[in-house]
Amino acid sequence: MRGYAPSTVEAPSYETAALAADALALAEALAPGEPVRLVGHDWGGVAALHAAAWRPERVDRVVSIAMPHARAFATALRRDPAQLRRSWYEFLFLAEGFAERVVSDEGFAFLDRLVAEWSPGGGLPPEEWEAVKRTLAVPGVLPAALGYYRAALLPGGRDPALADGAARWADPVTVPALVIVGADDGCIAASVVEGQEKHFTGPYRLEVVAGAGHWPHREAAALVEPLIAEWLA
């Protein structure tokens, strides 16, 4: 995704419409003119759901892992004190300069704290987290990664060329959609997806994976991978 090396680090915008546009551009490059199936986790889920809402004619089916519909999450941030506590790090990330120092301090030890909070089993193997830390240490990558949150929560930083897509951020998803969340996700509570079916007007399925945290596709791969394969078939 944009901002994460070896992808292009510097970008004019990290707003969700830009992420959706990237997904649609990749789809067009791989399957010109053909509807595609999108699968995304976390910010990848944001991109996939936004793309599906914005350009449903280009998306045949969509799978979002550990990410609810944008409207459901926005509502939780406004009305759910428990989710606000879980999302404390997002507000830290808005402090430009300070956030970069906190996150990168002591070899990105901040990430170890997040993993401990988000997944009871650790989420990813230690060697993969070390690779994530090495990526974030590449010049420009950490500000770009934090830029996702700043673009989502602060005014400004919008690309006028994406105004149409930006306006569709909370539209209903009309294509078949599968949402997979971990029951023990410490980042976004599984309760956030309760009742979100009203934001999906096409076929919709929700799977809450017992014992999994923020990475259910990795923590419970034997269960989740067949669910995704079945949905995309």
Short mmCIF file of all heavy atoms in Angstrom, two decimals, residues 38-104:
data_model
loop_
_atom_site.label_atom_id
_atom_site.label_comp_id
_atom_site.label_asym_id
_atom_site.label_seq_id
_atom_site.Cartn_x
_atom_site.Cartn_y
_atom_site.Cartn_z
N LEU A 38 -12.02 -8.51 -4.06
CA LEU A 38 -11.07 -7.81 -3.20
C LEU A 38 -11.09 -8.40 -1.79
O LEU A 38 -12.16 -8.66 -1.24
CB LEU A 38 -11.42 -6.32 -3.12
CG LEU A 38 -11.30 -5.50 -4.40
CD1 LEU A 38 -11.72 -4.05 -4.14
CD2 LEU A 38 -9.87 -5.54 -4.94
N VAL A 39 -9.89 -8.58 -1.23
CA VAL A 39 -9.73 -9.04 0.14
C VAL A 39 -8.76 -8.08 0.83
O VAL A 39 -7.67 -7.83 0.30
CB VAL A 39 -9.18 -10.47 0.21
CG1 VAL A 39 -9.04 -10.92 1.67
CG2 VAL A 39 -10.06 -11.44 -0.56
N GLY A 40 -9.14 -7.55 1.98
CA GLY A 40 -8.25 -6.63 2.67
C GLY A 40 -8.36 -6.78 4.17
O GLY A 40 -9.42 -7.12 4.71
N HIS A 41 -7.24 -6.52 4.85
CA HIS A 41 -7.19 -6.56 6.31
C HIS A 41 -6.86 -5.17 6.85
O HIS A 41 -5.98 -4.48 6.32
CB HIS A 41 -6.12 -7.55 6.78
CG HIS A 41 -5.82 -7.46 8.25
ND1 HIS A 41 -4.75 -6.76 8.75
CD2 HIS A 41 -6.49 -7.96 9.32
CE1 HIS A 41 -4.75 -6.85 10.07
NE2 HIS A 41 -5.79 -7.58 10.43
N ASP A 42 -7.57 -4.74 7.87
CA ASP A 42 -7.34 -3.44 8.52
C ASP A 42 -7.45 -2.33 7.48
O ASP A 42 -8.50 -2.16 6.86
CB ASP A 42 -6.00 -3.46 9.26
CG ASP A 42 -5.90 -2.33 10.28
OD1 ASP A 42 -5.58 -1.20 9.86
OD2 ASP A 42 -6.14 -2.56 11.47
N TRP A 43 -6.38 -1.56 7.25
CA TRP A 43 -6.46 -0.51 6.23
C TRP A 43 -6.74 -1.10 4.84
O TRP A 43 -7.37 -0.44 3.99
CB TRP A 43 -5.18 0.32 6.21
CG TRP A 43 -5.11 1.35 7.29
CD1 TRP A 43 -4.30 1.33 8.39
CD2 TRP A 43 -5.89 2.55 7.40
NE1 TRP A 43 -4.54 2.44 9.17
CE2 TRP A 43 -5.50 3.21 8.58
CE3 TRP A 43 -6.88 3.13 6.60
CZ2 TRP A 43 -6.05 4.42 8.99
CZ3 TRP A 43 -7.44 4.34 7.01
CH2 TRP A 43 -7.03 4.97 8.19
N GLY A 44 -6.29 -2.31 4.61
CA GLY A 44 -6.65 -2.97 3.36
C GLY A 44 -8.15 -3.22 3.27
O GLY A 44 -8.75 -3.14 2.20
N GLY A 45 -8.77 -3.51 4.42
CA GLY A 45 -10.21 -3.66 4.47
C GLY A 45 -10.92 -2.35 4.20
O GLY A 45 -11.96 -2.30 3.53
N VAL A 46 -10.35 -1.26 4.73
CA VAL A 46 -10.89 0.07 4.45
C VAL A 46 -10.89 0.32 2.94
O VAL A 46 -11.89 0.76 2.35
CB VAL A 46 -10.07 1.16 5.16
CG1 VAL A 46 -10.49 2.55 4.71
CG2 VAL A 46 -10.22 1.04 6.68
N ALA A 47 -9.74 0.04 2.30
CA ALA A 47 -9.61 0.26 0.86
C ALA A 47 -10.60 -0.60 0.08
O ALA A 47 -11.25 -0.13 -0.86
CB ALA A 47 -8.18 -0.04 0.42
N ALA A 48 -10.73 -1.87 0.48
CA ALA A 48 -11.60 -2.79 -0.25
C ALA A 48 -13.07 -2.39 -0.13
O ALA A 48 -13.80 -2.36 -1.13
CB ALA A 48 -11.40 -4.21 0.28
N LEU A 49 -13.52 -2.05 1.08
CA LEU A 49 -14.92 -1.67 1.27
C LEU A 49 -15.24 -0.34 0.59
O LEU A 49 -16.31 -0.17 0.00
CB LEU A 49 -15.25 -1.60 2.76
CG LEU A 49 -15.28 -2.94 3.50
CD1 LEU A 49 -15.50 -2.71 4.99
CD2 LEU A 49 -16.37 -3.85 2.94
N HIS A 50 -14.30 0.59 0.68
CA HIS A 50 -14.52 1.90 0.03
C HIS A 50 -14.58 1.72 -1.48
O HIS A 50 -15.45 2.31 -2.16
CB HIS A 50 -13.40 2.86 0.42
CG HIS A 50 -13.69 4.29 0.11
ND1 HIS A 50 -13.20 5.33 0.87
CD2 HIS A 50 -14.41 4.88 -0.88
CE1 HIS A 50 -13.62 6.48 0.36
NE2 HIS A 50 -14.35 6.23 -0.71
N ALA A 51 -13.70 0.91 -2.03
CA ALA A 51 -13.71 0.66 -3.47
C ALA A 51 -15.03 0.02 -3.91
O ALA A 51 -15.60 0.37 -4.95
CB ALA A 51 -12.53 -0.23 -3.86
N ALA A 52 -15.52 -0.92 -3.10
CA ALA A 52 -16.76 -1.60 -3.44
C ALA A 52 -17.95 -0.65 -3.38
O ALA A 52 -18.87 -0.74 -4.21
CB ALA A 52 -16.98 -2.78 -2.49
N ALA A 53 -17.96 0.26 -2.42
CA ALA A 53 -19.05 1.23 -2.30
C ALA A 53 -18.99 2.27 -3.42
O ALA A 53 -20.03 2.72 -3.92
CB ALA A 53 -18.99 1.91 -0.93
N TRP A 54 -17.78 2.63 -3.79
CA TRP A 54 -17.57 3.70 -4.78
C TRP A 54 -17.80 3.21 -6.21
O TRP A 54 -18.48 3.85 -7.00
CB TRP A 54 -16.17 4.24 -4.59
CG TRP A 54 -15.71 5.32 -5.53
CD1 TRP A 54 -16.47 6.05 -6.39
CD2 TRP A 54 -14.37 5.77 -5.68
NE1 TRP A 54 -15.68 6.95 -7.07
CE2 TRP A 54 -14.38 6.80 -6.66
CE3 TRP A 54 -13.15 5.43 -5.09
CZ2 TRP A 54 -13.23 7.48 -7.05
CZ3 TRP A 54 -12.01 6.10 -5.47
CH2 TRP A 54 -12.04 7.12 -6.45
N ARG A 55 -17.23 2.05 -6.53
CA ARG A 55 -17.28 1.54 -7.90
C ARG A 55 -17.77 0.09 -7.89
O ARG A 55 -17.02 -0.83 -8.21
CB ARG A 55 -15.90 1.63 -8.53
CG ARG A 55 -15.36 3.05 -8.70
CD ARG A 55 -16.06 3.80 -9.83
NE ARG A 55 -15.99 3.07 -11.07
CZ ARG A 55 -14.92 3.07 -11.88
NH1 ARG A 55 -13.84 3.79 -11.56
NH2 ARG A 55 -14.93 2.38 -13.02
N PRO A 56 -19.02 -0.13 -7.54
CA PRO A 56 -19.51 -1.52 -7.43
C PRO A 56 -19.45 -2.29 -8.74
O PRO A 56 -19.38 -3.53 -8.73
CB PRO A 56 -20.95 -1.34 -6.94
CG PRO A 56 -21.32 0.06 -7.33
CD PRO A 56 -20.06 0.84 -7.21
N GLU A 57 -19.45 -1.58 -9.86
CA GLU A 57 -19.38 -2.28 -11.14
C GLU A 57 -18.00 -2.91 -11.37
O GLU A 57 -17.84 -3.77 -12.23
CB GLU A 57 -19.72 -1.31 -12.29
CG GLU A 57 -18.62 -0.33 -12.66
CD GLU A 57 -18.50 0.87 -11.72
OE1 GLU A 57 -19.26 0.92 -10.74
OE2 GLU A 57 -17.64 1.74 -11.99
N ARG A 58 -17.01 -2.48 -10.58
CA ARG A 58 -15.65 -3.02 -10.73
C ARG A 58 -15.33 -4.09 -9.69
O ARG A 58 -14.28 -4.71 -9.73
CB ARG A 58 -14.61 -1.88 -10.60
CG ARG A 58 -14.66 -0.86 -11.71
CD ARG A 58 -14.25 -1.47 -13.05
NE ARG A 58 -12.83 -1.77 -13.08
CZ ARG A 58 -12.31 -2.99 -13.17
NH1 ARG A 58 -13.09 -4.03 -13.24
NH2 ARG A 58 -11.01 -3.16 -13.21
N VAL A 59 -16.24 -4.29 -8.73
CA VAL A 59 -15.99 -5.24 -7.64
C VAL A 59 -17.07 -6.30 -7.65
O VAL A 59 -18.26 -5.99 -7.48
CB VAL A 59 -15.93 -4.53 -6.28
CG1 VAL A 59 -15.66 -5.54 -5.17
CG2 VAL A 59 -14.85 -3.44 -6.29
N ASP A 60 -16.68 -7.54 -7.81
CA ASP A 60 -17.63 -8.65 -7.84
C ASP A 60 -18.00 -9.10 -6.43
O ASP A 60 -19.18 -9.31 -6.13
CB ASP A 60 -17.02 -9.82 -8.61
CG ASP A 60 -17.96 -11.00 -8.71
OD1 ASP A 60 -19.05 -10.83 -9.29
OD2 ASP A 60 -17.61 -12.08 -8.20
N ARG A 61 -16.99 -9.23 -5.57
CA ARG A 61 -17.18 -9.63 -4.18
C ARG A 61 -16.08 -8.99 -3.34
O ARG A 61 -15.01 -8.67 -3.86
CB ARG A 61 -17.12 -11.16 -4.02
CG ARG A 61 -18.33 -11.89 -4.57
CD ARG A 61 -18.19 -13.39 -4.51
NE ARG A 61 -19.44 -14.03 -4.89
CZ ARG A 61 -20.37 -14.42 -4.03
NH1 ARG A 61 -20.16 -14.27 -2.73
NH2 ARG A 61 -21.49 -14.96 -4.46
N VAL A 62 -16.34 -8.86 -2.04
CA VAL A 62 -15.35 -8.22 -1.18
C VAL A 62 -15.30 -8.95 0.16
O VAL A 62 -16.32 -9.45 0.65
CB VAL A 62 -15.69 -6.72 -0.99
CG1 VAL A 62 -17.01 -6.53 -0.26
CG2 VAL A 62 -14.57 -6.00 -0.25
N VAL A 63 -14.09 -9.02 0.71
CA VAL A 63 -13.87 -9.58 2.04
C VAL A 63 -13.10 -8.55 2.86
O VAL A 63 -12.04 -8.07 2.43
CB VAL A 63 -13.07 -10.90 2.00
CG1 VAL A 63 -12.84 -11.43 3.41
CG2 VAL A 63 -13.78 -11.93 1.13
N SER A 64 -13.62 -8.21 4.02
CA SER A 64 -12.94 -7.29 4.93
C SER A 64 -12.63 -8.03 6.22
O SER A 64 -13.51 -8.62 6.85
CB SER A 64 -13.82 -6.07 5.23
OG SER A 64 -13.18 -5.23 6.18
N ILE A 65 -11.36 -8.00 6.60
CA ILE A 65 -10.90 -8.70 7.80
C ILE A 65 -10.51 -7.66 8.85
O ILE A 65 -9.70 -6.77 8.59
CB ILE A 65 -9.70 -9.61 7.49
CG1 ILE A 65 -10.05 -10.58 6.36
CG2 ILE A 65 -9.26 -10.37 8.74
CD1 ILE A 65 -8.85 -11.36 5.84
N ALA A 66 -11.12 -7.77 10.03
CA ALA A 66 -10.82 -6.91 11.18
C ALA A 66 -11.13 -5.44 10.91
O ALA A 66 -10.55 -4.56 11.51
CB ALA A 66 -9.35 -7.05 11.61
N MET A 67 -12.07 -5.19 10.00
CA MET A 67 -12.46 -3.82 9.72
C MET A 67 -13.95 -3.76 9.40
O MET A 67 -14.39 -4.38 8.43
CB MET A 67 -11.66 -3.26 8.54
CG MET A 67 -11.97 -1.80 8.22
SD MET A 67 -11.80 -0.66 9.63
CE MET A 67 -10.05 -0.87 10.05
N PRO A 68 -14.73 -3.05 10.20
CA PRO A 68 -16.15 -2.91 9.93
C PRO A 68 -16.41 -1.90 8.82
O PRO A 68 -15.47 -1.26 8.31
CB PRO A 68 -16.71 -2.40 11.26
CG PRO A 68 -15.56 -1.65 11.87
CD PRO A 68 -14.32 -2.38 11.43
N HIS A 69 -17.66 -1.75 8.46
CA HIS A 69 -18.03 -0.70 7.51
C HIS A 69 -17.65 0.64 8.12
O HIS A 69 -17.73 0.86 9.33
CB HIS A 69 -19.54 -0.76 7.25
CG HIS A 69 -20.00 0.16 6.17
ND1 HIS A 69 -20.24 1.50 6.39
CD2 HIS A 69 -20.26 -0.06 4.86
CE1 HIS A 69 -20.64 2.05 5.27
NE2 HIS A 69 -20.66 1.14 4.31
N ALA A 70 -17.25 1.58 7.26
CA ALA A 70 -16.78 2.88 7.74
C ALA A 70 -17.82 3.60 8.58
O ALA A 70 -17.49 4.25 9.58
CB ALA A 70 -16.37 3.74 6.55
N ARG A 71 -19.08 3.51 8.21
CA ARG A 71 -20.13 4.18 8.96
C ARG A 71 -20.27 3.58 10.35
O ARG A 71 -20.43 4.30 11.34
CB ARG A 71 -21.45 4.10 8.21
CG ARG A 71 -22.63 4.73 8.93
CD ARG A 71 -22.50 6.23 9.02
NE ARG A 71 -22.76 6.87 7.73
CZ ARG A 71 -22.64 8.18 7.51
NH1 ARG A 71 -22.23 8.99 8.49
NH2 ARG A 71 -22.89 8.69 6.32
N ALA A 72 -20.19 2.26 10.44
CA ALA A 72 -20.29 1.60 11.73
C ALA A 72 -19.14 1.99 12.64
O ALA A 72 -19.32 2.24 13.85
CB ALA A 72 -20.34 0.08 11.55
N PHE A 73 -17.92 2.06 12.08
CA PHE A 73 -16.77 2.42 12.90
C PHE A 73 -16.83 3.88 13.33
O PHE A 73 -16.52 4.22 14.48
CB PHE A 73 -15.48 2.14 12.13
CG PHE A 73 -14.25 2.27 12.98
CD1 PHE A 73 -14.15 1.63 14.20
CD2 PHE A 73 -13.17 3.03 12.56
CE1 PHE A 73 -13.02 1.74 14.98
CE2 PHE A 73 -12.03 3.16 13.33
CZ PHE A 73 -11.96 2.51 14.55
N ALA A 74 -17.24 4.77 12.42
CA ALA A 74 -17.36 6.18 12.77
C ALA A 74 -18.38 6.38 13.89
O ALA A 74 -18.18 7.18 14.80
CB ALA A 74 -17.75 6.99 11.54
N THR A 75 -19.47 5.63 13.83
CA THR A 75 -20.48 5.71 14.88
C THR A 75 -19.92 5.25 16.21
O THR A 75 -20.16 5.86 17.27
CB THR A 75 -21.71 4.87 14.50
OG1 THR A 75 -22.27 5.39 13.29
CG2 THR A 75 -22.76 4.91 15.60
N ALA A 76 -19.14 4.17 16.19
CA ALA A 76 -18.54 3.65 17.42
C ALA A 76 -17.57 4.66 18.04
O ALA A 76 -17.52 4.83 19.26
CB ALA A 76 -17.82 2.33 17.14
N LEU A 77 -16.81 5.35 17.19
CA LEU A 77 -15.87 6.35 17.70
C LEU A 77 -16.59 7.52 18.35
O LEU A 77 -16.06 8.16 19.26
CB LEU A 77 -14.96 6.86 16.58
CG LEU A 77 -13.87 5.91 16.09
CD1 LEU A 77 -13.09 6.53 14.96
CD2 LEU A 77 -12.93 5.54 17.23
N ARG A 78 -17.80 7.80 17.91
CA ARG A 78 -18.56 8.91 18.50
C ARG A 78 -19.35 8.52 19.74
O ARG A 78 -19.51 9.33 20.65
CB ARG A 78 -19.53 9.50 17.46
CG ARG A 78 -18.89 10.18 16.28
CD ARG A 78 -19.90 11.08 15.56
NE ARG A 78 -21.13 10.38 15.25
CZ ARG A 78 -21.36 9.69 14.14
NH1 ARG A 78 -20.40 9.58 13.25
NH2 ARG A 78 -22.53 9.09 13.93
N ARG A 79 -19.81 7.26 19.78
CA ARG A 79 -20.81 6.91 20.79
C ARG A 79 -20.40 5.79 21.74
O ARG A 79 -21.11 5.53 22.71
CB ARG A 79 -22.11 6.49 20.08
CG ARG A 79 -22.68 7.56 19.18
CD ARG A 79 -23.93 7.07 18.48
NE ARG A 79 -24.47 8.06 17.55
CZ ARG A 79 -25.49 7.84 16.72
NH1 ARG A 79 -26.10 6.66 16.74
NH2 ARG A 79 -25.90 8.78 15.91
N ASP A 80 -19.31 5.12 21.47
CA ASP A 80 -18.93 3.95 22.26
C ASP A 80 -17.65 4.25 23.06
O ASP A 80 -16.55 4.19 22.51
CB ASP A 80 -18.71 2.75 21.34
CG ASP A 80 -18.42 1.47 22.09
OD1 ASP A 80 -18.19 1.53 23.31
OD2 ASP A 80 -18.42 0.39 21.45
N PRO A 81 -17.77 4.56 24.35
CA PRO A 81 -16.57 4.88 25.15
C PRO A 81 -15.54 3.75 25.16
O PRO A 81 -14.34 4.00 25.18
CB PRO A 81 -17.15 5.13 26.55
CG PRO A 81 -18.57 5.51 26.31
CD PRO A 81 -19.01 4.72 25.12
N ALA A 82 -16.02 2.50 25.13
CA ALA A 82 -15.09 1.38 25.14
C ALA A 82 -14.24 1.36 23.87
O ALA A 82 -13.03 1.09 23.93
CB ALA A 82 -15.85 0.06 25.29
N GLN A 83 -14.86 1.64 22.72
CA GLN A 83 -14.08 1.69 21.48
C GLN A 83 -13.15 2.88 21.46
O GLN A 83 -12.03 2.80 20.94
CB GLN A 83 -15.00 1.70 20.26
CG GLN A 83 -14.24 1.66 18.94
CD GLN A 83 -13.30 0.47 18.83
OE1 GLN A 83 -13.68 -0.67 19.07
NE2 GLN A 83 -12.04 0.73 18.50
N LEU A 84 -13.58 3.99 22.03
CA LEU A 84 -12.69 5.15 22.11
C LEU A 84 -11.43 4.80 22.89
O LEU A 84 -10.33 5.21 22.52
CB LEU A 84 -13.42 6.32 22.77
CG LEU A 84 -14.26 7.19 21.85
CD1 LEU A 84 -15.08 8.18 22.68
CD2 LEU A 84 -13.38 7.94 20.85
N ARG A 85 -11.59 4.04 23.97
CA ARG A 85 -10.40 3.63 24.74
C ARG A 85 -9.51 2.72 23.91
O ARG A 85 -8.28 2.83 23.97
CB ARG A 85 -10.84 2.94 26.03
CG ARG A 85 -11.39 3.89 27.09
CD ARG A 85 -11.52 3.21 28.44
NE ARG A 85 -12.52 2.15 28.44
CZ ARG A 85 -13.81 2.35 28.68
NH1 ARG A 85 -14.26 3.58 28.94
NH2 ARG A 85 -14.66 1.34 28.69
N ARG A 86 -10.11 1.82 23.14
CA ARG A 86 -9.31 0.94 22.30
C ARG A 86 -8.57 1.72 21.21
O ARG A 86 -7.49 1.31 20.78
CB ARG A 86 -10.20 -0.11 21.63
CG ARG A 86 -10.77 -1.15 22.56
CD ARG A 86 -11.80 -2.00 21.84
NE ARG A 86 -12.46 -2.95 22.72
CZ ARG A 86 -12.17 -4.25 22.80
NH1 ARG A 86 -11.22 -4.75 22.04
NH2 ARG A 86 -12.83 -5.03 23.62
N SER A 87 -9.16 2.82 20.77
CA SER A 87 -8.59 3.61 19.67
C SER A 87 -7.70 4.74 20.15
O SER A 87 -7.39 5.66 19.38
CB SER A 87 -9.73 4.18 18.81
OG SER A 87 -10.47 3.14 18.19
N TRP A 88 -7.23 4.66 21.39
CA TRP A 88 -6.43 5.75 21.95
C TRP A 88 -5.22 6.10 21.09
O TRP A 88 -4.83 7.27 20.94
CB TRP A 88 -5.95 5.36 23.35
CG TRP A 88 -5.02 4.17 23.38
CD1 TRP A 88 -5.38 2.87 23.50
CD2 TRP A 88 -3.60 4.18 23.25
NE1 TRP A 88 -4.28 2.05 23.45
CE2 TRP A 88 -3.16 2.83 23.31
CE3 TRP A 88 -2.65 5.19 23.10
CZ2 TRP A 88 -1.82 2.48 23.22
CZ3 TRP A 88 -1.30 4.83 23.01
CH2 TRP A 88 -0.90 3.49 23.07
N TYR A 89 -4.62 5.07 20.49
CA TYR A 89 -3.40 5.27 19.70
C TYR A 89 -3.66 6.15 18.48
O TYR A 89 -2.76 6.87 18.02
CB TYR A 89 -2.83 3.92 19.27
CG TYR A 89 -3.73 3.19 18.31
CD1 TYR A 89 -3.56 3.30 16.93
CD2 TYR A 89 -4.80 2.40 18.78
CE1 TYR A 89 -4.41 2.65 16.06
CE2 TYR A 89 -5.65 1.76 17.91
CZ TYR A 89 -5.45 1.89 16.55
OH TYR A 89 -6.31 1.28 15.69
N GLU A 90 -4.89 6.09 17.93
CA GLU A 90 -5.21 6.89 16.75
C GLU A 90 -5.09 8.38 17.05
O GLU A 90 -4.64 9.16 16.20
CB GLU A 90 -6.61 6.56 16.25
CG GLU A 90 -6.79 5.13 15.78
CD GLU A 90 -8.11 4.92 15.05
OE1 GLU A 90 -8.56 5.86 14.37
OE2 GLU A 90 -8.68 3.83 15.18
N PHE A 91 -5.48 8.76 18.24
CA PHE A 91 -5.43 10.17 18.61
C PHE A 91 -4.00 10.60 18.92
O PHE A 91 -3.61 11.74 18.66
CB PHE A 91 -6.39 10.43 19.77
CG PHE A 91 -7.80 10.01 19.44
CD1 PHE A 91 -8.33 8.83 19.94
CD2 PHE A 91 -8.57 10.77 18.57
CE1 PHE A 91 -9.61 8.43 19.61
CE2 PHE A 91 -9.86 10.37 18.23
CZ PHE A 91 -10.38 9.20 18.75
N LEU A 92 -3.19 9.67 19.45
CA LEU A 92 -1.76 9.95 19.62
C LEU A 92 -1.12 10.22 18.26
O LEU A 92 -0.30 11.13 18.11
CB LEU A 92 -1.08 8.75 20.29
CG LEU A 92 0.46 8.75 20.25
CD1 LEU A 92 1.03 9.91 21.07
CD2 LEU A 92 1.00 7.42 20.73
N PHE A 93 -1.51 9.44 17.25
CA PHE A 93 -0.90 9.56 15.93
C PHE A 93 -1.16 10.92 15.28
O PHE A 93 -0.48 11.28 14.31
CB PHE A 93 -1.41 8.45 15.02
CG PHE A 93 -0.93 7.07 15.38
CD1 PHE A 93 -1.49 5.94 14.78
CD2 PHE A 93 0.07 6.87 16.32
CE1 PHE A 93 -1.04 4.67 15.09
CE2 PHE A 93 0.51 5.60 16.65
CZ PHE A 93 -0.04 4.49 16.03
N LEU A 94 -2.12 11.67 15.78
CA LEU A 94 -2.41 12.98 15.20
C LEU A 94 -1.36 14.02 15.58
O LEU A 94 -1.27 15.07 14.93
CB LEU A 94 -3.80 13.47 15.65
CG LEU A 94 -4.98 12.56 15.31
CD1 LEU A 94 -6.28 13.22 15.75
CD2 LEU A 94 -5.01 12.22 13.84
N ALA A 95 -0.58 13.74 16.62
CA ALA A 95 0.42 14.70 17.11
C ALA A 95 1.68 14.58 16.25
O ALA A 95 2.59 13.80 16.57
CB ALA A 95 0.73 14.45 18.58
N GLU A 96 1.74 15.32 15.18
CA GLU A 96 2.84 15.22 14.22
C GLU A 96 4.17 15.53 14.88
O GLU A 96 4.31 16.52 15.60
CB GLU A 96 2.60 16.17 13.05
CG GLU A 96 3.56 15.98 11.89
CD GLU A 96 3.15 16.74 10.66
OE1 GLU A 96 2.03 17.32 10.66
OE2 GLU A 96 3.92 16.75 9.69
N GLY A 97 5.16 14.71 14.64
CA GLY A 97 6.47 14.87 15.24
C GLY A 97 6.57 14.11 16.55
O GLY A 97 7.43 13.23 16.70
N PHE A 98 5.70 14.39 17.48
CA PHE A 98 5.69 13.69 18.76
C PHE A 98 5.36 12.22 18.56
O PHE A 98 6.02 11.33 19.13
CB PHE A 98 4.69 14.34 19.72
CG PHE A 98 4.56 13.64 21.04
CD1 PHE A 98 5.58 13.72 21.97
CD2 PHE A 98 3.43 12.89 21.34
CE1 PHE A 98 5.47 13.07 23.20
CE2 PHE A 98 3.31 12.24 22.55
CZ PHE A 98 4.34 12.32 23.49
N ALA A 99 4.34 11.94 17.75
CA ALA A 99 3.95 10.55 17.52
C ALA A 99 5.08 9.76 16.88
O ALA A 99 5.33 8.61 17.24
CB ALA A 99 2.71 10.51 16.63
N GLU A 100 5.78 10.37 15.93
CA GLU A 100 6.90 9.69 15.28
C GLU A 100 7.97 9.29 16.31
O GLU A 100 8.52 8.18 16.25
CB GLU A 100 7.53 10.58 14.21
CG GLU A 100 6.79 10.62 12.89
CD GLU A 100 5.62 11.60 12.87
OE1 GLU A 100 5.20 12.07 13.96
OE2 GLU A 100 5.10 11.89 11.79
N ARG A 101 8.23 10.18 17.28
CA ARG A 101 9.24 9.87 18.30
C ARG A 101 8.77 8.75 19.22
O ARG A 101 9.53 7.84 19.56
CB ARG A 101 9.56 11.13 19.11
CG ARG A 101 10.29 12.21 18.31
CD ARG A 101 10.89 13.26 19.22
NE ARG A 101 9.88 14.00 19.97
CZ ARG A 101 9.23 15.07 19.52
NH1 ARG A 101 9.48 15.52 18.30
NH2 ARG A 101 8.34 15.69 20.27
N VAL A 102 7.51 8.81 19.62
CA VAL A 102 6.98 7.79 20.53
C VAL A 102 6.99 6.41 19.86
O VAL A 102 7.42 5.42 20.46
CB VAL A 102 5.54 8.16 20.97
CG1 VAL A 102 4.89 7.00 21.72
CG2 VAL A 102 5.56 9.40 21.85
N VAL A 103 6.51 6.35 18.64
CA VAL A 103 6.39 5.06 17.95
C VAL A 103 7.76 4.44 17.66
O VAL A 103 7.94 3.22 17.78
CB VAL A 103 5.58 5.21 16.65
CG1 VAL A 103 5.57 3.90 15.86
CG2 VAL A 103 4.15 5.64 16.96
N SER A 104 8.73 5.25 17.29
CA SER A 104 10.04 4.73 16.89
C SER A 104 10.99 4.52 18.06
O SER A 104 12.04 3.89 17.89
CB SER A 104 10.69 5.68 15.87
OG SER A 104 10.91 6.96 16.45
#
